[in-house]
Short mmCIF file of all heavy atoms in Angstrom, two decimals:
data_model
loop_
_atom_site.label_atom_id
_atom_site.label_comp_id
_atom_site.label_asym_id
_atom_site.label_seq_id
_atom_site.Cartn_x
_atom_site.Cartn_y
_atom_site.Cartn_z
N ALA X 20 13.36 35.32 2.18
CA ALA X 20 14.09 34.99 0.94
C ALA X 20 13.54 35.76 -0.24
O ALA X 20 12.32 35.86 -0.41
CB ALA X 20 13.96 33.49 0.69
N THR X 21 14.44 36.32 -1.05
CA THR X 21 13.99 37.04 -2.25
C THR X 21 13.81 36.02 -3.36
O THR X 21 14.56 35.06 -3.47
CB THR X 21 15.01 38.08 -2.70
OG1 THR X 21 16.26 37.42 -2.85
CG2 THR X 21 15.11 39.21 -1.71
N THR X 22 12.80 36.23 -4.17
CA THR X 22 12.56 35.29 -5.27
C THR X 22 13.09 35.89 -6.57
O THR X 22 12.85 37.06 -6.85
CB THR X 22 11.06 34.99 -5.41
OG1 THR X 22 10.38 36.24 -5.46
CG2 THR X 22 10.54 34.16 -4.28
N THR X 23 13.81 35.08 -7.31
CA THR X 23 14.35 35.55 -8.59
C THR X 23 13.26 35.36 -9.64
O THR X 23 12.63 34.31 -9.69
CB THR X 23 15.57 34.69 -8.99
OG1 THR X 23 16.39 34.59 -7.84
CG2 THR X 23 16.34 35.31 -10.14
N PRO X 24 13.02 36.38 -10.49
CA PRO X 24 12.02 36.19 -11.53
C PRO X 24 12.41 35.02 -12.43
O PRO X 24 13.57 34.91 -12.84
CB PRO X 24 12.07 37.50 -12.32
CG PRO X 24 12.74 38.47 -11.44
CD PRO X 24 13.65 37.69 -10.56
N THR X 25 11.46 34.14 -12.69
CA THR X 25 11.78 32.96 -13.49
C THR X 25 11.35 33.14 -14.94
O THR X 25 10.55 34.01 -15.27
CB THR X 25 11.07 31.72 -12.90
OG1 THR X 25 9.69 32.05 -12.80
CG2 THR X 25 11.64 31.34 -11.57
N ASN X 26 11.87 32.28 -15.78
CA ASN X 26 11.50 32.23 -17.20
C ASN X 26 11.68 33.54 -17.95
O ASN X 26 10.84 33.93 -18.75
CB ASN X 26 10.05 31.74 -17.36
CG ASN X 26 9.91 30.31 -16.94
OD1 ASN X 26 10.84 29.53 -17.10
ND2 ASN X 26 8.78 29.97 -16.37
N ILE X 27 12.74 34.25 -17.65
CA ILE X 27 13.01 35.48 -18.40
C ILE X 27 14.15 35.23 -19.38
O ILE X 27 14.05 35.57 -20.56
CB ILE X 27 13.33 36.65 -17.45
CG1 ILE X 27 12.03 37.04 -16.73
CG2 ILE X 27 13.90 37.85 -18.22
CD1 ILE X 27 12.14 38.15 -15.77
N ALA X 28 15.21 34.61 -18.92
CA ALA X 28 16.35 34.37 -19.81
C ALA X 28 16.20 33.09 -20.63
O ALA X 28 17.01 32.82 -21.50
CB ALA X 28 17.63 34.32 -19.00
N GLY X 29 15.16 32.31 -20.41
CA GLY X 29 14.97 31.07 -21.17
C GLY X 29 15.84 29.96 -20.62
O GLY X 29 16.69 30.19 -19.77
N GLY X 30 15.63 28.75 -21.13
CA GLY X 30 16.35 27.62 -20.53
C GLY X 30 17.25 26.86 -21.47
O GLY X 30 18.01 26.01 -21.05
N GLY X 31 17.19 27.14 -22.78
CA GLY X 31 17.93 26.31 -23.74
C GLY X 31 19.40 26.65 -23.80
O GLY X 31 19.82 27.72 -23.42
N THR X 32 20.20 25.68 -24.25
CA THR X 32 21.62 25.98 -24.46
C THR X 32 21.73 26.74 -25.78
O THR X 32 21.11 26.36 -26.76
CB THR X 32 22.45 24.68 -24.53
OG1 THR X 32 21.91 23.89 -25.58
CG2 THR X 32 22.42 23.92 -23.22
N GLN X 33 22.53 27.80 -25.78
CA GLN X 33 22.55 28.72 -26.92
C GLN X 33 22.91 28.04 -28.24
O GLN X 33 22.21 28.20 -29.23
CB GLN X 33 23.54 29.83 -26.63
CG GLN X 33 22.90 30.98 -25.88
CD GLN X 33 23.84 32.15 -25.78
OE1 GLN X 33 25.03 32.01 -25.89
NE2 GLN X 33 23.28 33.31 -25.56
N LEU X 34 24.02 27.29 -28.23
CA LEU X 34 24.53 26.76 -29.49
C LEU X 34 23.56 25.76 -30.11
O LEU X 34 23.24 25.83 -31.29
CB LEU X 34 25.89 26.10 -29.24
CG LEU X 34 26.70 25.85 -30.51
CD1 LEU X 34 27.09 27.14 -31.20
CD2 LEU X 34 27.95 25.04 -30.17
N GLU X 35 23.07 24.86 -29.26
CA GLU X 35 22.15 23.82 -29.73
C GLU X 35 20.88 24.45 -30.31
O GLU X 35 20.40 24.08 -31.37
CB GLU X 35 21.81 22.91 -28.55
CG GLU X 35 21.18 21.60 -28.94
CD GLU X 35 20.74 20.82 -27.71
OE1 GLU X 35 21.29 21.09 -26.61
OE2 GLU X 35 19.87 19.98 -27.86
N THR X 36 20.34 25.44 -29.56
CA THR X 36 19.12 26.10 -29.99
C THR X 36 19.34 26.79 -31.34
O THR X 36 18.54 26.68 -32.25
CB THR X 36 18.68 27.14 -28.94
OG1 THR X 36 18.70 26.52 -27.68
CG2 THR X 36 17.31 27.69 -29.23
N ARG X 37 20.46 27.50 -31.45
CA ARG X 37 20.75 28.21 -32.69
C ARG X 37 20.83 27.25 -33.88
O ARG X 37 20.38 27.56 -34.97
CB ARG X 37 22.07 28.96 -32.58
CG ARG X 37 21.92 30.25 -31.83
CD ARG X 37 23.17 31.05 -31.85
NE ARG X 37 23.09 32.17 -30.95
CZ ARG X 37 23.90 33.20 -30.98
NH1 ARG X 37 24.85 33.26 -31.88
NH2 ARG X 37 23.76 34.19 -30.13
N GLN X 38 21.44 26.09 -33.63
CA GLN X 38 21.62 25.13 -34.72
C GLN X 38 20.28 24.66 -35.29
O GLN X 38 20.12 24.62 -36.50
CB GLN X 38 22.42 23.93 -34.24
CG GLN X 38 23.92 24.15 -34.41
CD GLN X 38 24.75 23.05 -33.78
OE1 GLN X 38 24.21 22.20 -33.07
NE2 GLN X 38 26.03 23.09 -34.02
N ILE X 39 19.35 24.35 -34.40
CA ILE X 39 18.08 23.83 -34.92
C ILE X 39 17.21 24.94 -35.51
O ILE X 39 16.32 24.69 -36.30
CB ILE X 39 17.28 23.02 -33.87
CG1 ILE X 39 16.90 23.88 -32.67
CG2 ILE X 39 18.04 21.80 -33.44
CD1 ILE X 39 15.88 23.19 -31.77
N GLN X 40 17.49 26.19 -35.14
CA GLN X 40 16.65 27.29 -35.61
C GLN X 40 17.20 28.00 -36.85
O GLN X 40 16.58 28.91 -37.36
CB GLN X 40 16.49 28.33 -34.49
CG GLN X 40 15.71 27.83 -33.29
CD GLN X 40 15.61 28.86 -32.19
OE1 GLN X 40 16.39 29.81 -32.15
NE2 GLN X 40 14.65 28.69 -31.30
N THR X 41 18.40 27.59 -37.29
CA THR X 41 19.07 28.36 -38.35
C THR X 41 19.31 27.54 -39.61
O THR X 41 19.58 26.34 -39.54
CB THR X 41 20.43 28.89 -37.82
OG1 THR X 41 20.19 29.56 -36.59
CG2 THR X 41 21.07 29.85 -38.79
N ARG X 42 19.19 28.21 -40.75
CA ARG X 42 19.56 27.58 -42.02
C ARG X 42 20.23 28.63 -42.89
O ARG X 42 19.88 29.82 -42.82
CB ARG X 42 18.31 27.04 -42.73
CG ARG X 42 18.66 26.34 -44.02
CD ARG X 42 17.61 25.39 -44.47
NE ARG X 42 17.39 24.31 -43.49
CZ ARG X 42 16.68 23.23 -43.75
NH1 ARG X 42 16.12 23.07 -44.92
NH2 ARG X 42 16.50 22.30 -42.85
N GLU X 43 21.20 28.20 -43.71
CA GLU X 43 21.90 29.15 -44.57
C GLU X 43 21.53 28.90 -46.03
O GLU X 43 21.29 27.77 -46.43
CB GLU X 43 23.41 29.05 -44.36
CG GLU X 43 23.83 29.59 -43.01
CD GLU X 43 25.31 29.87 -42.91
OE1 GLU X 43 26.06 29.63 -43.87
OE2 GLU X 43 25.72 30.35 -41.83
N TYR X 44 21.47 29.99 -46.79
CA TYR X 44 21.14 29.89 -48.21
C TYR X 44 22.22 30.56 -49.06
O TYR X 44 22.80 31.57 -48.63
CB TYR X 44 19.79 30.59 -48.47
CG TYR X 44 18.64 29.86 -47.83
CD1 TYR X 44 18.22 30.19 -46.55
CD2 TYR X 44 17.98 28.84 -48.51
CE1 TYR X 44 17.17 29.52 -45.94
CE2 TYR X 44 16.91 28.17 -47.90
CZ TYR X 44 16.52 28.51 -46.63
OH TYR X 44 15.49 27.84 -46.04
N ASP X 45 22.45 30.01 -50.25
CA ASP X 45 23.43 30.59 -51.17
C ASP X 45 22.77 31.70 -51.97
O ASP X 45 22.28 31.47 -53.07
CB ASP X 45 23.95 29.52 -52.14
CG ASP X 45 24.85 28.53 -51.44
OD1 ASP X 45 25.70 28.97 -50.66
OD2 ASP X 45 24.68 27.32 -51.66
N THR X 46 22.72 32.86 -51.43
CA THR X 46 22.16 34.00 -52.16
C THR X 46 22.72 35.29 -51.57
O THR X 46 23.20 35.32 -50.44
CB THR X 46 20.61 34.02 -52.11
OG1 THR X 46 20.15 35.21 -52.73
CG2 THR X 46 20.08 33.98 -50.70
N LEU X 47 22.63 36.34 -52.36
CA LEU X 47 23.08 37.66 -51.88
C LEU X 47 21.90 38.57 -51.63
O LEU X 47 22.04 39.66 -51.10
CB LEU X 47 23.98 38.31 -52.95
CG LEU X 47 25.46 37.99 -52.87
CD1 LEU X 47 26.18 38.54 -54.08
CD2 LEU X 47 26.06 38.61 -51.61
#
Side-chain angles (χ1 to χ4, degrees):
Chain X
T21 54
T22 50
T23 314
T25 53
N26 293 327
I27 290 180
T32 57
Q33 272 188 339
L34 196 65
E35 195 186 339
T36 311
R37 281 186 190 196
Q38 271 173 351
I39 62 168
Q40 293 178 341
T41 308
R42 182 158 299 191
E43 290 196 358
Y44 293 91
D45 289 315
T46 175
L47 271 173

